Amino acid sequence: MSTYEAELVVARRDLAADGVLALTLRHPLGDALPGWAPGAHVDVVLGPGLERQYSLCGDPADRREWRVAVLREPEGRGGSAHVHGQLEVGDKVRVRGPRNHFALLPSPRYLFVAGGIGITPILPMLAAAEAAGADWTLLYGGRTRESMAFKEELAAYGEKVRLVPQDECGLLDLAAVLGTPRPDTLVYCCGPGPLLDAVEERCARWPSGALHVERFQPKAPDVQDPGGEGEFEVVLERSGRTLTVPADATVLDTVRAAGVEVLFSCTEGTCGTCETDVLDGTPDHRDSVLTDEEREAGETMLICVSRCLGKRLVLDL
């Protein structure tokens, strides 16, 4: 799978909220950047061992620049500390993408739910829904009002946006907004794991396909069959090789150890970079990206975490 990759320059640094830094990235020669749609993210290589995924939260129609927003996480793995503490205007970063596993589907009505930095992929969705003339509302929660990013931009939408700072209002009242399924309504949610888990629970009675979520951290895998823990064969159709995936290694580990190049990034099943076509066999899906329908179809899998329900997989590698 080919993808855009380039060194981009940090053109602007803006404080989007307390602890949230918005970066505007441009090509150093002014070249146009690839087009993208709401829900897309990019991989940003900040340094050795510091590769992170950030949602694009600017204007998809503006091909001159990309905007991402980064939450400072003192207990994180170093990516946010690097962005906040070291990355300056004029510095260059290697960027790959964009990719989109959280695409906004057409609908007459939307309910958007965001928690904290989860507002980033939702922000361009609001503009798209508004432009399409859809009926929509946003429920946006954060620790404090000062920590909630892009409040000024959201203010333009008036009463369609409801800000819920936890220190002022408590937790989001999901029962009130999700307790009764609504016809012809799609729900889009992004934020911390507990919020997504709660939204998924509330939407269990909604029509299949109504809920769309994006996770920043991997969900606990749903191990379909203890047999998936054992070793299995993977046939690389394009490479003409058959490899054995041990019980203590992933498909990605095994393929890379054999010298086969494959794109990957998070290694946690959340970014979708390593999504690979399945030509034969049944995957044991353990990612946090694919929808239930995509898992049932079994046409692709994320080889960084998913395994095999059986003894053999044939992949388009």
Side-chain angles (χ1 to χ4, degrees), residues 27-208:
H27 193 282
L29 300 180
D31 293 355
L33 300 175
W36 60 279
H41 71 268
V42 292
D43 303 327
V44 180
V45 182
L46 300 166
L50 283 179
E51 181 172 328
R52 301 291 184 265
Q53 290 72 48
Y54 299 119
S55 297
L56 292 171
C57 57
D59 179 3
D62 189 348
R63 300 286 295 276
R64 300 168 302 168
E65 61 187 37
W66 284 343
R67 184 176 69 168
V68 299
V70 182
L71 170 68
R72 186 179 184 94
E73 299 180 271
E75 304 303 320
R77 297 175 296 160
S80 69
H82 179 90
V83 170
H84 281 255
Q86 300 183 44
L87 204 58
E88 300 291 344
V89 171
D91 288 348
K92 291 182 179 179
V93 291
R94 179 156 291 275
V95 182
R96 286 198 305 264
R99 279 181 295 277
N100 199 337
H101 291 275
F102 192 44
L104 184 69
L105 301 178
S107 177
R109 279 176 289 278
Y110 298 96
L111 174 57
F112 299 103
V113 182
I117 197 64
I119 190 61
T120 51
I122 299 293
L123 196 61
M125 292 185 178
L126 306 182
E130 185 77 2
D135 178 16
W136 65 268
T137 56
L138 166 67
L139 188 65
Y140 177 21
R143 292 180 294 103
T144 65
R145 190 173 298 272
E146 292 72 24
S147 72
M148 300 174 71
F150 305 114
K151 295 185 297 294
E152 294 77 13
E153 294 182 30
L154 293 170
Y157 296 118
E159 295 183 355
K160 292 184 178 182
V161 172
R162 183 184 173 201
L163 301 184
V164 186
Q166 185 175 346
D167 64 336
E168 299 175 23
C169 310
L171 297 174
L172 297 178
D173 188 355
L174 298 179
V177 296
L178 297 173
T180 303
R182 305 182 192 179
D184 301 321
T185 301
L186 296 184
V187 180
Y188 278 80
C189 178
C190 186
L195 171 63
L196 270 63
D197 293 342
V199 169
E200 287 181 341
E201 182 179 352
R202 293 291 182 183
C203 287
R205 294 172 47 243
W206 285 59
S208 175

